[in-house]
Amino acid sequence: MMWSVYRGIRKAAVSALKTRSPAVRRLLCTCDGVSAGLADAETIFALSSGHGRCGVAVVRMSGPAALTAVWTMAGLRHNTLPPRTALLRSIMDPKSKEVLDRGLVLWFPGPHSFTGEDSAEFHIHGGPAVVSAVLLALGSVPGMRPAEAGEFTRRAFQAGKLGLTEVEGLGDLIHAETEAQRRQALRQMSGDLGRLYQDWTHRLKRCLAHIEAFIDFSEDELIEEGVLNQAERSISELISEVKRHLQDERRGERLRSGVHVVIAGATNAGKSSLLNTLCQRPAAIVSPIAGTTRDVVETALDIGGFPVVLSDTAGLRDSPDVVEREGVRRARERVEQADVTLVVVDGVQIPSDQHSVPFLQKHLREVLSTQDPAHIGQCVVVLNKMDLLSEQSRQRLQTELSSWAAPPSVCCVSCHSKEGLQDFLSELHQRVKHLCGDPLSGGPSLTQARHRAHLQQCVSSLRQFHHYQDTDLALAAEGVRRALTSLGRITGRVGPEEILDIIFKDFCIGK
């Protein structure tokens, strides 16, 4: 009885605040993130196991007509359909009653399903004719239609089963090609990143609730002292945490999209041979004619479980040929954008009169177009064609390289004999691993450019609070609202009712 009275009073208070309080009206405009509305009433179906001939194909359906489909095509009624239990049944055409296949039927009643709706799966044989027949039969069931791309996951998000970061993690997991990508995507899908952002969101909502309550009720002396000081401390701590999160050197984004490694150098140094050796296939044309490669040749590699986008570029030289000049321009552009640059040098061209270090230093400046130590530190000098040098020349070269003050990493290899390739791959693996980091250690990493953009907007908005807190508290609160909106756009979960809940929970108005 008392609980129902309390609910009635609370509902009336919320209604009054919404219609009379300017602060609450501002709160109602706080968030314009993704709406978490109810899913479409239509029932959708699709082949979930991928196209092509296979042993078993999985056809998934979700929506109110899923039970009808199971009844008309597998002869199972609700009272004979145990949830999450595989039943071997004949799959029939709902109109002709012709048996299309014999397979497993699984029933997932809502809300305990991936989408939160009534869902079912047919596990059938993966032949194209069988799959086509079952999909056509499902299309004839009233209220069912083929699903659009990503629609099952979208319904799961709308039902609150997944946040936006978990949805993105699921997508990354599906597209993961390396072990490190799989680990990062699985961690994000499990909610680690979402929980971090939700914690920040919850703290911001508390701060905003306290500030709004102070604006509306402080004149009546109904608010405890120190509320604003507490909000200020929380916001300062939050700014520091978000800034540390942003200072990750793009490790998560690199791991998701791949580390950009560019092969650069003079013509006929063996750049394309190095690309083919790393790819273990003839990805680029190799020729003794200088200037054979005129465009960027790009390929994806797995280096020790980390994704690498490897680019071979045109040889750097002055040329009267307009096409080759364009290739050189693109090569220099890729070098500027590279995470790691492999500067390939023809070992035969290195002078043998104790001037090898000045020669390599000049070559680095020509390739990198900079003397910035940080940029030079991102490169690996690959001395190629070592098999063409005598043993005496090699020893002299190693002696001179050892006297190079603060040199970049230098690897001596032969793409022809495969000499030194293992050491070079170990060096490249260490570089890539350092750039990507360990996806399972420390806090969760930023994986999307949109996360970074919204977090930067969040920090900027919170600075607005500090700028106006002593002069105009309403404008300061607006900064917190904007910060909350930025976080809400990452997670897809934020709303004004939650802020009102905190006002009633944290403050006894009229105390």
Side-chain angles (χ1 to χ4, degrees):
M1 178 65 179
M2 289 299 296
W3 175 245
S4 61
V5 171
Y6 166 77
R7 283 191 302 176
I9 295 173
R10 184 182 181 281
K11 184 176 180 181
V14 171
S15 177
L17 282 171
K18 284 183 178 180
T19 55
R20 297 177 187 177
S21 169
V24 175
R25 286 200 298 272
R26 289 195 299 271
L27 282 175
L28 295 177
C29 301
T30 296
C31 305
D32 56 354
V34 179
S35 173
L38 295 175
D40 196 313
E42 291 180 304
T43 300
I44 56 175
F45 66 90
L47 176 66
S48 294
S49 53
H51 295 277
R53 187 176 286 103
C54 57
V56 177
V58 178
V59 177
R60 172 190 282 179
M61 60 206 82
S62 177
L67 183 60
T68 303
V70 171
W71 172 35
T72 58
M73 295 183 64
L76 291 169
R77 295 182 178 274
H78 190 274
N79 56 357
T80 61
L81 196 58
R84 292 170 293 281
T85 302
L87 300 176
L88 181 62
R89 303 290 295 184
S90 293
I91 311 297
M92 300 176 293
D93 185 288
K95 294 182 178 179
S96 66
K97 300 304 178 183
E98 175 190 0
V99 175
L100 305 176
D101 192 20
R102 188 166 174 80
L104 298 178
V105 178
L106 290 96
W107 170 244
F108 304 95
H112 306 295
S113 67
F114 174 72
T115 61
E117 305 173 314
D118 287 347
S119 303
E121 291 179 1
F122 290 158
H123 293 207
I124 56 178
H125 293 97
V130 175
V131 172
S132 178
V134 171
L135 292 177
L136 285 173
L138 281 171
S140 67
V141 176
M144 299 194 69
R145 63 167 176 82
E148 298 175 1
E151 192 168 1
F152 285 94
T153 305
R154 182 172 183 173
R155 291 192 176 197
F157 166 69
Q158 290 175 325
K161 293 289 184 176
L162 296 173
L164 281 184
T165 54
E166 286 89 343
V167 168
E168 290 166 332
L170 175 58
D172 289 346
L173 184 63
I174 292 172
H175 294 99
E177 296 181 347
T178 70
E179 185 66 13
Q181 285 178 320
R182 179 193 65 78
R183 290 172 178 170
Q184 176 171 273
L186 191 60
R187 184 177 184 183
Q188 182 170 334
M189 192 187 74
S190 67
D192 278 15
L193 193 62
R195 281 189 290 272
L196 174 65
Y197 296 157
Q198 282 296 327
D199 174 64
W200 290 346
T201 299
H202 177 70
R203 288 158 60 185
L204 265 187
K205 284 188 288 189
R206 290 178 65 90
C207 291
L208 182 57
H210 293 179
I211 295 168
E212 292 290 2
F214 186 87
I215 292 173
D216 287 347
F217 306 112
S218 61
E219 293 181 358
D220 300 325
E221 297 182 355
L222 301 176
I223 302 299
E224 300 173 2
E225 294 183 2
V227 165
L228 285 183
N229 292 334
Q230 181 182 348
E232 181 184 357
R233 286 194 301 271
S234 296
I235 290 173
S236 297
E237 292 172 0
L238 192 58
I239 289 176
S240 298
E241 291 179 28
V242 176
K243 288 173 67 176
R244 283 197 301 270
H245 187 59
L246 287 169
Q247 294 169 352
D248 64 341
E249 299 180 346
R250 295 180 53 249
R251 286 190 174 91
E253 292 167 78
R254 280 198 186 100
L255 181 52
R256 180 175 178 269
S257 60
V259 177
H260 289 271
V261 178
V262 175
I263 303 174
T267 57
N268 274 7
K271 301 184 299 300
S272 297
S273 296
L274 181 61
L275 175 77
N276 293 344
T277 300
L278 294 176
C279 294
Q280 299 182 350
R281 62 183 178 87
I285 298 174
V286 176
S287 166
I289 302 173
T292 301
T293 302
R294 296 193 172 193
D295 204 350
V296 177
V297 180
E298 194 172 86
T299 186
L301 293 179
D302 181 340
I303 303 292
F306 294 91
V308 167
V309 180
L310 185 64
S311 300
D312 182 23
T313 60
L316 302 177
R317 68 172 181 175
D318 294 329
S319 172
D321 189 300
V322 64
V323 177
E324 188 172 357
R325 286 204 305 271
E326 174 61 20
V328 171
R329 187 196 66 79
R330 295 186 182 188
R332 294 198 180 279
E333 185 179 62
R334 285 300 181 99
V335 169
E336 292 177 359
Q337 299 169 351
D339 297 314
V340 178
T341 303
L342 305 179
V343 181
V344 182
V345 182
D346 185 347
V348 178
Q349 301 298 322
I350 300 176
S352 58
D353 53 355
Q354 297 184 355
H355 291 90
S356 57
V357 170
F359 172 84
L360 290 174
Q361 289 174 329
K362 179 183 177 183
H363 193 75
L364 275 176
R365 289 194 297 269
E366 292 174 349
V367 172
L368 301 178
S369 300
T370 180
Q371 298 185 25
D372 183 5
H375 198 181
I376 293 176
Q378 293 175 353
C379 78
V380 178
V381 178
V382 182
L383 304 184
N384 193 19
K385 305 182 183 180
M386 287 293 103
D387 57 309
L388 300 180
L389 296 181
S390 65
E391 186 63 31
Q392 182 181 1
S393 298
R394 294 191 199 185
Q395 291 179 357
R396 183 173 60 250
L397 180 59
Q398 291 288 354
T399 302
E400 292 185 31
L401 290 175
S402 64
S403 65
W404 191 351
S409 298
V410 179
C411 298
C412 298
V413 305
S414 169
C415 293
H416 177 70
S417 66
K418 307 299 186 275
E419 175 188 346
L421 279 177
Q422 194 58 49
D423 292 338
F424 165 69
L425 285 172
S426 297
E427 173 66 25
L428 182 58
H429 173 251
Q430 289 302 317
R431 291 292 186 101
V432 172
K433 183 178 180 180
H434 174 73
L435 288 170
C436 292
D438 185 352
L440 298 183
S441 67
S445 300
L446 277 167
T447 59
Q448 302 271 351
R450 78 173 193 90
H451 297 176
R452 187 174 300 277
H454 290 315
L455 289 174
Q456 289 169 342
Q457 292 172 1
C458 175
V459 171
S460 178
S461 298
L462 291 178
R463 285 174 177 157
Q464 177 181 330
F465 169 81
H466 284 307
H467 183 74
Y468 289 107
Q469 64 177 345
D470 295 327
T471 57
D472 192 326
L473 201 54
L475 285 176
E478 179 64 22
V480 180
R481 272 192 298 276
R482 290 183 177 181
L484 188 57
T485 298
S486 297
L487 286 177
R489 285 173 176 165
I490 299 177
T491 62
R493 296 175 181 174
V494 65
E497 273 302 325
E498 299 177 44
I499 300 172
L500 293 176
D501 289 341
I502 293 174
I503 290 178
F504 280 94
K505 179 180 178 181
D506 284 7
F507 294 92
C508 297
I509 304 298
K511 181 179 176 181

